[in-house]
Amino acid sequence: NNNNKHRPTRRLLKPKSIHRINSSHRNSHLNRMRTTRIPSSNNIRSRIIRRNNNNNNINKPKKSFPRINDLLNQHAQQQQQLQLRKHRLSNSTSSNIPSALKQKYIAIDCEMVGIGPTSTKSALARASAVDYDGNILLDTFVRVPERVTDFRTSVSGVRPKDISVKNVNAMDPEEVRNKIGKLLLGKILVGHALKNDLDALMITHPRGDMRDTARYKPFMRATGRSGGKLRPRKLRDLVWEELGKRIQVEGESHSS
């Protein structure tokens, strides 16, 4: 028994065929691991984004386009409303309004040119004022003592010779300011975006005596799909919708 304790144990060896099979299986598994491409985090992220986009496209409703009949009906309704406005305006003639009430209203409009290196600063170039019936109270070009860097002729209709110092028919800014200031004493001022005109004239007027079509809420339009802040509209759009007249046509210069 003591001899058996010191006798070395025999290792059971597997047959060579079994070693050969195991080694070939291990090598093939290692080769598959080497050839298998593990996706990176960027690839995984891009796959997720593509999958989400596909799901959104599936759930996204298709855009609905108006039918031609609906567009024609909408146009016919707009024309009918325009005719009703014209009829209402023709019935409400100014002859029914007392002359004392007419004398309270004066409308002004000004044209400006650009001065300064960037032409962002405006200078008064023309001023106009009319009464309730549209009679002209003042219409004159204004001499600009500073160097004009942008005449804005396509919008203002002002040409260099109109506001030149040599033009005897033009007026000085102070003279225009004094004349319009006297016309507005105790009057109700009417206009569109009056702040710009008053800034160009360098005068003020009581806010309660101003009727600004750019700030009149029924004439303003809410921005955004679900409404939002009211924004002023262009004068040419208001004149077309309310009076049925075309003004400030694209490509044509206009004046005050």
Side-chain angles (χ1 to χ4, degrees):
N1 294 336
N2 294 330
N3 294 332
N4 292 338
K5 289 181 181 180
H6 298 285
R7 186 182 297 174
T9 56
R10 294 182 180 180
R11 293 177 57 185
L12 297 177
L13 299 177
K14 295 181 180 180
K16 292 183 179 181
S17 59
I18 295 177
H19 279 284
R20 193 179 300 112
I21 293 173
N22 291 341
S23 60
S24 62
H25 178 73
R26 183 170 61 256
N27 293 335
S28 62
H29 180 68
L30 291 175
N31 292 332
R32 283 199 304 270
M33 290 182 64
R34 293 192 190 99
T35 56
T36 302
R37 187 176 181 181
I38 301 175
S40 63
S41 59
N42 293 332
N43 293 334
I44 295 174
R45 191 181 299 109
S46 62
R47 290 178 184 177
I48 294 173
I49 292 174
R50 284 198 300 269
R51 189 182 301 111
N52 293 335
N53 291 336
N54 294 332
N55 294 334
N56 293 335
N57 293 332
I58 295 173
N59 299 328
K60 187 177 181 180
K62 295 182 179 180
K63 292 183 178 179
S64 60
F65 297 95
R67 297 180 300 177
I68 186 64
N69 292 335
D70 296 337
L71 295 175
L72 292 174
N73 293 334
Q74 184 179 1
H75 179 70
Q77 291 177 1
Q78 292 177 354
Q79 293 296 325
Q80 186 178 3
Q81 292 177 0
L82 183 60
Q83 293 297 331
L84 290 174
R85 291 194 188 100
K86 289 182 179 180
H87 182 69
R88 185 176 68 252
L89 291 172
S90 61
N91 291 336
S92 60
T93 56
S94 60
S95 59
N96 300 329
I97 300 174
S99 58
L101 183 60
K102 293 182 182 180
Q103 294 176 1
K104 292 183 178 181
Y105 292 90
I106 288 182
I108 67 170
D109 187 26
C110 298
E111 298 296 341
M112 283 75 78
V113 293
I115 59 175
T118 58
S119 303
T120 55
K121 188 177 179 181
S122 298
L124 181 65
R126 187 174 182 176
S128 304
V130 296
D131 61 5
Y132 189 95
D133 293 321
N135 299 317
I136 298 176
L137 303 177
L138 177 68
D139 184 24
T140 180
F141 287 103
V142 183
R143 301 187 188 97
V144 181
E146 301 180 24
R147 179 176 177 271
V148 178
T149 54
D150 186 4
F151 288 90
R152 305 172 184 173
T153 306
S154 60
V155 178
S156 65
V158 178
R159 297 165 297 180
K161 65 178 182 178
D162 296 329
I163 59 176
S164 173
V165 180
K166 299 179 181 179
N167 186 4
V168 296
N169 296 322
M171 299 174 62
D172 292 329
E174 294 183 0
E175 188 179 359
V176 176
R177 189 180 306 116
N178 293 332
K179 283 197 172 186
I180 291 185
K182 291 179 180 178
L183 290 173
L184 295 180
L185 285 176
K187 304 294 184 179
I188 296 177
L189 177 58
V190 181
H192 188 78
L194 286 171
K195 183 181 182 302
N196 299 330
D197 299 325
L198 295 176
D199 289 345
L201 290 165
M202 297 182 182
I203 61 176
T204 59
H205 198 70
R207 188 173 182 179
D209 293 337
M210 295 171 59
R211 305 292 184 268
D212 195 340
T213 54
R215 295 297 176 183
Y216 184 52
K217 288 186 178 180
F219 288 166
M220 300 175 75
R221 177 173 292 173
T223 57
R225 296 181 180 178
S226 59
K229 187 177 180 180
L230 293 175
R231 299 287 183 181
R233 301 177 61 193
K234 294 182 178 180
L235 181 61
R236 67 182 179 188
D237 297 337
L238 293 176
V239 172
W240 169 247
E241 292 181 5
E242 299 297 328
L243 304 177
K245 296 182 179 180
R246 294 287 189 184
I247 65 169
Q248 302 177 357
V249 182
E250 290 288 344
E252 297 181 8
S253 59
H254 59 273
S255 62
S256 57

